[in-house]
Amino acid sequence: MGSDIQLGSWLEVATEAAQAGGSVLRQYWGRLEEVREKGRPGDLVTDADRHGEAAILQVLRRYAPDHDILAEESGLLGRQQSPFLWAIDPLDGTTNYAHQYPWFAVSIGLLVEGVPQLGVVYNPVSDHLFQAAAGLGATCNHQPIKVSITDNLAHSLLATGFAYDRRETNDNNYPEFCRFTHLTQGVRRCGAAALDLAYVAYGAIDGYWERGLSPWDIAAGIVLVREAGGQTSAYDGTPVILSSGRILATNGHLHQAMSQVLQAMPAPQPLPFLQ
Ligand code: IPD
Ligand code: CA
Ligand code: CA
């Protein structure tokens, strides 16, 4: 495990990389030449995703040539022998970006021996920079942040999202969305998982759940939530398994209640209005 001093310097590297990626996103903002589907309908990639990722990789290769990297557009890079693995989403919220909806971010997490230890989430349009490292706390634009104190689902504001396989599976998160919408003051679906987690850490969102995610969507946000005093787990409260794609992240006070709701959901069924 890295010492606080080492993590502090890797946090600076991650921040430099996120800002380099963010400046590419600003350059292409409103000027995209290429938007195409990667595979599943709606799963977009743009020239901003690709060039943003290249700018991030350039910074990481300069400071951490021996570390492994898992980047959304490039895949797994490195010899897979390092205890350090960077998980990078150069543009979380590509659909928003392509439609000029200004809610997206660069997300950079660092796993040490498989455990997320550091995270930076940066929205280059609003210039909101979220940073956290294990034991060092969480900040937004260098000011400490904390999760909310809401302890009742009926008073809560939640967030979630829907994966790109939602048209192909009955396990599409629609029933969970309905259930929580019924139980809370609202559920937001803003379209950038990294920002959903950042805003749990910030205390604006009380809880967040989602399925079908990738490690680069959540590695950074997990550290933000934990360092801001919140809790992250699988839906059943056991430790998050990044490869499972499922996460529950809350202010801690709502964790059990949200976990109970998620575990009580009936097995996924075909919905009549989708047939
Ligand atoms: C997506 C966003 C969205 C979430 C999807 C992700 P992308 O990432 O985080 O909020 O619901 O599951 O894949 O494709 O914009 O990087
Ligand atoms: Ca993403
Ligand atoms: Ca992305």
Side-chain angles (χ1 to χ4, degrees):
M1 205 66 54
S3 68
D4 287 0
I5 295 171
Q6 268 179 329
L7 278 181
S9 30
W10 290 127
L11 192 58
E12 282 175 32
V13 169
T15 304
E16 184 177 330
Q19 285 172 331
S23 101
V24 172
L25 301 188
R26 266 196 305 269
Q27 275 165 37
Y28 282 93
W29 179 237
R31 297 187 201 105
L32 275 180
E33 283 174 11
E34 196 196 350
V35 180
R36 60 182 172 82
E37 282 181 341
K38 279 199 266 193
R40 292 198 165 92
D43 189 1
L44 305 178
V45 63
T46 71
D47 27 13
D49 296 76
R50 288 183 292 101
H51 294 300
E53 185 162 300
I56 293 165
L57 294 181
Q58 203 177 19
V59 174
L60 292 185
R61 284 200 178 110
R62 183 164 2 116
Y63 292 104
D66 300 334
H67 290 187
D68 292 331
I69 294 176
L70 175 65
E72 181 172 11
E73 309 308 335
S74 311
L76 196 51
L77 306 169
R79 290 183 299 149
Q80 284 129 67
Q81 285 174 341
S82 168
F84 296 94
L85 175 72
W86 295 88
I88 297 164
D89 192 337
L91 172 44
D92 185 49
T94 300
T95 308
N96 289 344
Y97 188 89
H99 289 266
Q100 290 186 55
Y101 181 70
W103 192 261
F104 56 86
V106 180
S107 178
I108 300 183
L110 176 64
L111 282 69
V112 185
E113 278 155 6
V115 181
Q117 293 286 337
L118 165 171
V120 173
V121 173
Y122 178 50
N123 177 339
V125 166
S126 66
D127 204 22
H128 282 134
L129 173 69
F130 296 90
Q131 298 166 295
L136 300 180
T139 59
C140 175
N141 290 353
H142 307 289
Q143 299 303 312
I145 54 174
K146 266 177 111 56
V147 293
S148 67
I149 56 168
T150 311
D151 60 1
N152 183 332
L153 270 183
H155 297 150
S156 70
L157 181 64
L158 306 184
T160 193
F162 303 95
Y164 297 113
D165 65 359
R166 60 185 176 267
R167 296 177 188 83
E168 298 149 33
T169 172
N170 295 326
D171 185 13
N172 47 28
N173 199 30
Y174 301 165
E176 289 86 343
F177 180 78
C178 265
R179 184 78 188 121
F180 279 121
T181 299
H182 190 70
L183 293 172
T184 63
Q185 290 184 347
V187 180
R188 298 291 174 258
R189 192 286 198 242
C190 295
L195 285 175
D196 291 329
L197 286 162
Y199 280 92
V200 173
Y202 188 81
I205 295 290
D206 304 304
Y208 162 75
W209 84 96
E210 191 166 342
R211 61 160 290 283
L213 294 161
S214 298
W216 50 76
D217 295 314
I218 55 176
I222 284 174
V223 186
L224 283 165
V225 171
R226 288 182 186 162
E227 286 300 310
Q231 208 175 328
T232 61
S233 75
Y235 284 5
D236 64 2
T238 57
V240 182
I241 297 174
L242 285 178
S243 58
S244 75
R246 282 175 199 258
I247 189 169
L248 169 62
T250 72
N251 62 7
H253 309 293
L254 292 178
H255 212 82
Q256 210 185 344
M258 284 190 70
S259 175
Q260 273 167 4
V261 171
L262 288 166
Q263 289 183 86
M265 291 305 295
Q269 301 289 330
L271 293 171
F273 59 90
L274 295 181
Q275 286 164 358

